[in-house]
Amino acid sequence: MQDIMGWTKPATQPQEQPSTPALPPVEQRLHTLVLAMKTLAELTGGRLNPYTEQQFKDYAGNLLAEHNRKLLTPSKERWLGVVNFAESELGKKVPLSGAHYRGHLGTWVRTFYPHLGDRQETRLVNGVQQPIYVYACHESAVAAGLTKAVEEFFAHPSPGAALRQAGAFTSKKEPVLVK
């Protein structure tokens, strides 16, 4: 229809892509935030709403954390719990229950391979924060020891019985003195 009427589409000029706005450097944003906090404190006579004050502190902390994170060099350290090591490094599936379950694997390593480490960290385990032992998997001797422990654990027909026999489940209570 346009050809019959002799109408031609006007030439369009290529539109320039708008540049993506960029935030100023962290140092400048932090300086601006400090100035804004001072101004607000002057205007309110130093009586800031506690929630507003906390928001300013959080924002400043986040800016500092971002700045510091960029300055840090990445670490080659890898600290893993034994279950995480077994699943991510060895491809084992460690069940939540049964003969070869997660709790027994950790007890196995602590009982038969205590030389691999005794560092504990609080980690999320089955939805609950708990202290667990973590091992320096970036050290080849520790990784080899964990590999041996995990393979041994899964090869054993009854790891629970072996742990009971080794005294892994006995509590070490102080003797009670009776007079």
Side-chain angles (χ1 to χ4, degrees):
M1 189 70 152
Q2 292 173 354
D3 290 338
I4 296 173
M5 297 298 290
W7 182 82
T8 58
K9 187 175 179 181
T12 58
Q13 297 196 358
Q15 296 199 359
E16 292 182 24
Q17 292 292 337
S19 63
T20 305
L23 290 172
V26 172
E27 297 87 356
Q28 185 178 344
R29 286 185 281 160
L30 192 55
H31 179 72
T32 304
L33 177 66
V34 170
L35 292 177
M37 288 172 63
K38 283 182 182 178
T39 303
L40 189 58
E42 289 171 6
L43 291 172
T44 62
R47 293 181 308 270
L48 290 177
N49 176 319
Y51 295 107
T52 304
E53 189 174 343
Q54 186 61 53
Q55 283 181 317
F56 273 114
K57 287 178 182 177
D58 291 346
Y59 186 69
N62 289 339
L63 284 173
L64 287 171
E66 178 185 338
H67 178 68
N68 290 336
R69 190 173 30 256
K70 289 177 182 175
L71 295 177
L72 292 174
T73 56
S75 172
K76 303 267 189 228
E77 290 188 5
R78 287 194 65 211
W79 291 86
L80 299 174
V82 66
V83 171
N84 193 288
F85 178 81
E87 291 182 339
S88 67
E89 302 299 312
L90 304 178
K92 301 280 187 189
K93 177 67 180 132
V94 187
L96 294 172
S97 61
H100 295 89
Y101 87 106
R102 293 167 178 255
H104 278 177
L105 176 56
T107 304
W108 184 274
V109 172
R110 286 190 313 281
T111 302
F112 299 116
Y113 295 87
H115 62 280
L116 293 179
D118 60 357
R119 178 176 169 176
Q120 281 188 299
E121 291 181 1
T122 301
R123 300 266 178 107
L124 193 61
V125 178
N126 299 328
V128 179
Q129 289 285 345
Q130 295 180 7
I132 67 161
Y133 287 87
V134 291
Y135 301 92
C137 297
H138 53 277
E139 295 177 11
S140 58
V142 173
L146 282 176
T147 301
K148 182 178 182 213
V150 169
E151 296 296 340
E152 203 175 85
F153 174 79
F154 279 103
H156 198 282
S158 179
L163 289 168
R164 273 189 293 285
Q165 186 176 3
F169 302 125
T170 59
S171 61
K172 297 173 182 163
K173 293 183 179 176
E174 294 292 322
V176 178
L177 297 175
V178 180
K179 291 185 180 182

